[in-house]
Amino acid sequence: MKTINDFNFENKKALIRVDFNVPLDADFNVTDTTRIEAAKASIIKVLEDGGSAILMSHLGRPKGEKNKDLSLGHICKTVSEIIGVQVKFSETCVGDAAEKVAADLKPGEVLLLENLRFHNEETKGDKNFAEQLSKLGDVYINDAFGTAHRAHASTTVVAQFFEGNKCFGYLLAKEIEAIEKVMQTGEKPVLAILGGAKVSSKITIIENILDKVDHLIIGGGMTYTFIKAQGGQVGDSICEDDKMPLAMEILKQAEAKGVQIHIPVDVLAADDFSNNANTQVVDVDKIPDGWQGLDAGPKTLENFKEVILKSKTILWNGPVGVFEMDSFDKGTIAIGNFIDESTKNGAFSLVGGGDSVAAVKQFGFENKVSYVSTGGGAMLESLEGKTLPGIAAIIG
Ligand code: AMP
């Protein structure tokens, strides 16, 4: 399979699907430029080869209608500053006008197309719309991991019009490599730390991951379903009674597969789901009625530390406590610190999926782990073992 480095973009127009779905403030300033910076390397490669870049993305959820507030024109200035080139803007992403500006692009120039999702055809994966997009470029680069799990026109369908002339950008390639490191090629022992609120939202990941890891830490709100299933008292902690048989099945499967499961032994319990609640540390299976476990306890963190420090490959998905409240963020911060230490000792650590990235950013761990995934849903689906359509369209 060809990578972006196998292409020379001299005098070529690269149609690049980027993820510029960035947050804007009330004055339409970009408040977090991470995604634009993440796309920079691929764009620069095209320009340095002597090609031109046509950038396409969605912004927000305009649901197939023009919406001034969601125009990508608002971010043109920021993209220009980050790329270091004055970026041109096309007020439409398909049709004669877009084709004309694209055709007129000179080597070294960059064009940003208007929000793809102003057209319903984008999310429907409409073939005709994808074909119109394909007319704009000679080579297709997909560098948008955040939408790689969607079979949309610009992320998947368009690739069929670029036979032999399509590849992943650097960002998407890095994401794929990071997932492979954890799921296939990682140095042992491989550890997955799964936290978050509910077993039900993580079940497919747990089932898939049991074949890949040596150790599995289960933390956060999921803990209590496992503890109650084994006969423990969880008080008022979040618990999915209907998932208790599943929890027992997971424990059985783990044993059969030789995966060591690590579950909290003590918790910081609170008498209310509130930052100002009264708290006490109690055994995880003896939480009194009226109390709920909202963070990992000290013995638990000692146990988790030992596993994290001896692991060589670490995946972290989901906080081990209600990290949004500072009374219950200590466990999640401790996990981040242990992963930091393990990474410094040579482990490969990947954080991704759902809310995990928010927690990691909030506590400043993003530069301490080996890789922070840029795609919440796409990473979750990868961890569930699904082949993402955006990736399959390039490989196939
Ligand atoms: P997820 O999106 O599944 O990774 O879940 C993240 C959410 O889980 C965060 O909003 C946390 O506040 C929540 N969470 C973590 N631990 C607990 C807990 N013990 N009780 C309730 N919610 C929790």
Side-chain angles (χ1 to χ4, degrees), residues 316-330:
W316 185 18
N317 171 273
V320 297
V322 184
F323 74 98
E324 298 92 338
M325 297 187 210
D326 59 18
S327 299
F328 309 107
D329 64 5
K330 309 295 174 294

Side-chain angles (χ1 to χ4, degrees), residues 280-302:
Q280 59 172 327
V281 173
V282 292
D283 288 346
V284 71
D285 56 353
K286 295 185 189 66
I287 304 175
D289 285 342
W291 293 74
Q292 53 188 303
L294 294 184
D295 199 5
K299 280 189 228 147
T300 299
L301 290 173
E302 271 308 307

Side-chain angles (χ1 to χ4, degrees), residues 86-97:
Q86 190 61 44
V87 173
K88 299 182 172 190
F89 182 66
S90 170
E91 282 173 20
T92 160
C93 60
V94 286
D96 292 345

Side-chain angles (χ1 to χ4, degrees), residues 88-303:
K88 299 182 172 190
F89 182 66
S90 170
E91 282 173 20
T92 160
C93 60
V94 286
D96 292 345
E99 284 174 34
K100 168 99 179 62
V101 256
D104 289 346
L105 269 195
K106 299 196 180 52
E109 291 187 334
V110 180
L111 173 68
L112 175 62
L113 303 177
E114 182 56 289
N115 196 338
L116 293 158
R117 291 196 190 166
F118 285 179
H119 302 258
N120 256 328
E121 292 88 341
E122 162 64 359
T123 51
K124 285 190 178 144
D126 183 82
K127 195 170 168 184
N128 182 39
F129 180 72
E131 190 173 11
Q132 288 188 61
L133 288 172
S134 75
K135 290 183 185 161
L136 305 176
D138 307 307
V139 182
Y140 170 65
I141 301 175
N142 189 353
D143 212 14
F145 182 66
T147 47
H149 59 315
R150 308 276 184 221
H152 292 172
S154 69
T155 62
T156 302
V157 186
V158 72
Q160 65 190 266
F161 299 101
F162 290 92
E163 213 40 69
N165 279 318
K166 54 187 175 182
C167 61
F168 300 120
Y170 290 114
L171 172 69
L172 192 33
K174 252 197 295 183
E175 294 274 358
I176 295 170
E177 192 191 329
I179 297 162
E180 278 178 359
K181 265 194 185 158
V182 172
M183 307 293 264
Q184 291 165 27
T185 59
E187 192 182 338
K188 283 171 166 280
V190 180
L191 160 69
I193 305 167
L194 297 183
K198 291 181 168 178
V199 178
S200 50
S201 64
K202 302 281 159 101
I203 187 65
T204 327
I205 296 183
I206 299 179
E207 283 174 340
N208 183 45
I209 230 154
L210 283 180
D211 287 321
K212 328 272 181 199
V213 301
D214 306 296
H215 295 273
L216 174 61
I217 287 180
I218 290 176
M222 279 200 292
T223 307
Y224 309 101
T225 305
F226 282 86
I227 296 298
K228 191 170 173 187
Q230 296 175 90
Q233 289 169 30
V234 299
D236 292 0
S237 305
I238 184 172
C239 184
E240 292 168 281
D241 286 359
D242 61 326
K243 294 288 175 294
M244 291 197 303
L246 200 61
M248 293 308 286
E249 180 56 33
I250 288 169
L251 295 176
K252 223 171 83 185
Q253 274 183 33
E255 200 179 349
K257 292 177 193 234
V259 178
Q260 287 189 45
I261 300 234
H262 308 270
I263 300 183
V265 291
D266 60 349
V267 293
L268 183 64
D271 62 358
D272 190 14
F273 190 81
S274 145
N275 205 21
N276 303 318
N278 296 306
T279 59
Q280 59 172 327
V281 173
V282 292
D283 288 346
V284 71
D285 56 353
K286 295 185 189 66
I287 304 175
D289 285 342
W291 293 74
Q292 53 188 303
L294 294 184
D295 199 5
K299 280 189 228 147
T300 299
L301 290 173
E302 271 308 307
N303 295 346

Side-chain angles (χ1 to χ4, degrees), residues 379-390:
M379 177 54 76
L380 286 180
E381 291 197 14
S382 302
L383 299 177
E384 288 174 354
K386 294 185 186 145
T387 305
L388 309 186

